[in-house]
Amino acid sequence: MKQNDKSGISIKWRMLVYIGAFTLFMLLLVWVFQVLLLGRFYESTKLSELNAAADEISENIDDEEALSALALKYATEYQMYIRIFATENGVSEQIVSGQVFGSFFIRTANDKELSRLTDLAASSSGKTYFERRTVRENYPEFDDAENKGKGEDRKEMICVRIVSGKECDYVVMLNIIYTPLGATVTTLMKQFSWICLVLLGGALILAAVMSKWVSQPLIKMNEEAKKLGKGDFDVSFPRDGYLETRELADTLNFAAGELARTEDLKKELIANLSHDLRTPLTMITGYGEVIRDIPGENTPENIQVIIDESTHLSELVNDLLDLSKIQSGNVKYEYEIFDLTESVRSTLGRYKKFKEHDGFDISFEAEENIFVSADRVRILQVVCNLINNAINYSGDSREIRVVQTSVANGRVRVSVSDRGEGIPPEALPDIWDRYYKVDRIHKRATVGTGLGLSIVKGILEGHGASYGVESKVGHGSTFWFEMPMCSKK
Ligand code: ADP
């Protein structure tokens, strides 16, 4: 694992690049539309004004009164100069002329120029011709003191359209003068440079602030995680920042808690295991030496102790092997359909000696015989482990009830109840863990090996069965499991 991999780009630089790129893109967009294309937009607006006027005039071409009104309207509203000629048999006669002052080309142009425009319109598509001119270029005589400096900037646009009327053809001429936006664009460019500077500076600050805000909780968490990695479980991930980091902190705090718990259990497991292994071994060695060294000690009782301790030792080792197989997922369950009721009943027969010698009252209740599909040997191991615990913890009452009932959704429930010491509520979630003891001082298990419930849990989870426990201190416990019933083979 690389501990100090600094090759990636930090969040600060990443944000700076993203925010900077976004800002530049926005600036480019504004520059293109507000600066580069402004003049063209302006001209196209003028062009469409001329077009709209030409369209309206074309619609009213045979109504001379309406035409005069339109010429007046466009003169006042758009400063547009309009001339309309009626042409009949090659003779043109002006019927309307605009009422607006200004050095319009079509006002002062000679007949030759006007007929040039008319010819160009006649040969254009849609019989409409547009022309752009510079005022000064064409009207040097207007470049007097009053217009000096303006003429060279000002531009004009002319639209000439040939319209067919009912009785004759008409030539409609429209002329507009406008000031190009050169000066405005220069001003905008200056403004734009300032805006660029301010926005890029702002982006820099924003990136710095945001990256700090985003990365700070992660940096703190990383510090804690490093401690955790070194085996220090006493860490607390700070719940700072935003929703995601808080959730991450919660998850890591939970994980750290679980790791600490597992570590404790591991230590306890090793301590308990060595204790449980050492006790029988010490007894076996001790009794063996006594039998060897002291004449007359070779009694059946002493040998029985050695046999009992060896049996316990092999049970413990078997359980350990079983548990490690179950927990590593290496165990293969041999599924078969079998009579659960009958199997439990015959298993209970094995506890006859407890009934007879120790006065245990072990009862079994079942309404009907129920079949299940499961690994028979393993399920009976679960039942035995639960009964062993009930015997171990039943206290003075010595009363154990095994009950089999059918529950909802076609499932069968088997429960084992005792009226013993019970389990405190805070210990309930932990009893299924390997070697967990309610009383933390480890007592050597009298019947079980201290691994019983972990094996029960492993087998039931392996079968997909549900399980649980209800318990009240001083009143006893009921351990249960549920699995689907199936029809008889
Ligand atoms: P053990 O061999 O110690 O019984 P288990 O894994 O079978 O190991 O059980 C774990 C712990 O759960 C026990 O040490 C005991 O504290 C508690 N426990 C299990 N069954 C019962 C029960 N029927 N009544 C009270 N406590 C129980």
Side-chain angles (χ1 to χ4, degrees), residues 50 57 71 74-76 78-85 94 96-109 114 156-159 172-177:
L50 283 177
I57 289 169
Y74 281 104
T76 43
Y78 296 97
Q79 298 293 298
M80 196 184 286
Y81 182 71
I82 298 175
R83 287 180 87 175
I84 303 172
F85 300 90
Q94 176 170 306
V96 173
S97 125
Q99 308 287 314
V100 60
F101 282 115
S103 45
F104 295 99
F105 176 70
I106 60 166
R107 168 185 271 161
T108 50
L114 292 181
E156 62 183 328
M157 203 181 280
I158 297 153
C159 168
V172 179
M173 292 189 174
L174 312 156
N175 198 167
I176 214 165
I177 293 181

Side-chain angles (χ1 to χ4, degrees), residues 145-345:
E146 192 195 332
N147 287 311
K148 200 155 183 75
K150 290 184 196 165
E152 58 190 331
D153 286 326
R154 296 164 83 208
K155 290 199 165 182
E156 62 183 328
M157 203 181 280
I158 297 153
C159 168
V160 183
R161 184 182 282 187
I162 314 279
V163 185
S164 302
K166 275 187 198 139
E167 282 153 19
C168 61
D169 280 352
Y170 296 88
V171 180
V172 179
M173 292 189 174
L174 312 156
N175 198 167
I176 214 165
I177 293 181
Y178 61 94
T179 311
L181 298 175
T184 319
V185 169
T186 316
T187 319
L188 283 178
M189 273 305 279
K190 271 191 198 152
Q191 271 192 357
F192 190 73
S193 324
W194 282 110
I195 292 176
C196 270
L197 270 177
V198 171
L199 274 185
L200 285 175
L204 205 80
I205 295 169
L206 186 70
V209 171
M210 275 184 69
S211 64
K212 197 164 177 116
W213 181 67
V214 170
S215 62
Q216 206 59 37
L218 295 176
I219 292 170
K220 281 193 207 163
M221 255 185 257
N222 191 27
E223 290 303 314
E224 292 297 293
K226 277 183 192 161
K227 284 192 217 161
L228 190 65
K230 285 181 187 150
D232 175 3
F233 298 109
D234 189 22
V235 290
S236 161
F237 292 90
R239 292 187 85 256
D240 296 346
Y242 34 98
L243 181 70
E244 287 80 359
T245 46
R246 280 182 208 187
E247 281 177 356
L248 180 62
D250 287 345
T251 313
L252 288 172
N253 279 327
F254 176 72
E258 287 297 295
L259 279 174
R261 212 169 67 92
T262 314
E263 184 65 16
D264 286 348
L265 283 172
K266 198 172 86 187
K267 283 184 192 150
E268 205 177 319
L269 171 72
I270 292 170
N272 292 344
L273 248 185
S274 33
H275 175 265
D276 272 11
L277 288 173
R278 209 172 34 221
T279 314
L281 285 174
T282 317
M283 301 265 273
I284 292 168
T285 324
Y287 273 82
E289 281 170 359
V290 167
I291 293 168
R292 183 194 63 195
D293 298 338
I294 307 173
E297 281 302 315
N298 190 2
T299 61
E301 291 78 30
N302 285 349
I303 290 171
Q304 189 58 43
V305 172
I306 293 180
I307 293 171
D308 286 348
E309 290 304 323
S310 309
T311 313
H312 183 76
L313 209 53
S314 73
E315 270 173 12
L316 186 68
V317 172
N318 280 344
D319 271 4
L320 265 177
L321 286 176
D322 249 11
L323 185 63
S324 73
K325 256 203 283 178
I326 289 168
Q327 287 190 335
S328 65
N330 273 342
V331 66
K332 276 212 165 55
Y333 295 111
E334 311 268 336
Y335 278 80
E336 60 176 313
I337 295 174
F338 66 93
D339 186 339
L340 177 71
T341 325
E342 222 21 74
S343 305
V344 173
R345 189 169 284 131

Side-chain angles (χ1 to χ4, degrees), residues 385-386 388-394 416-418 420-423 430-439 442-443 445-456 469 471 476-479:
N385 282 358
L386 295 182
N388 290 348
N389 279 351
I391 290 174
N392 265 352
Y393 304 102
S394 67
V416 179
S417 314
D418 62 72
E421 59 200 66
I423 306 164
D430 296 321
I431 54 169
W432 307 93
D433 287 326
R434 257 186 321 192
Y435 254 123
Y436 179 84
K437 296 269 156 193
V438 171
D439 48 352
H442 179 69
K443 280 189 278 185
T446 39
V447 173
T449 52
L451 299 167
L453 287 183
S454 331
I455 293 175
V456 166
V469 56
S471 187
S477 319
T478 299
F479 283 81

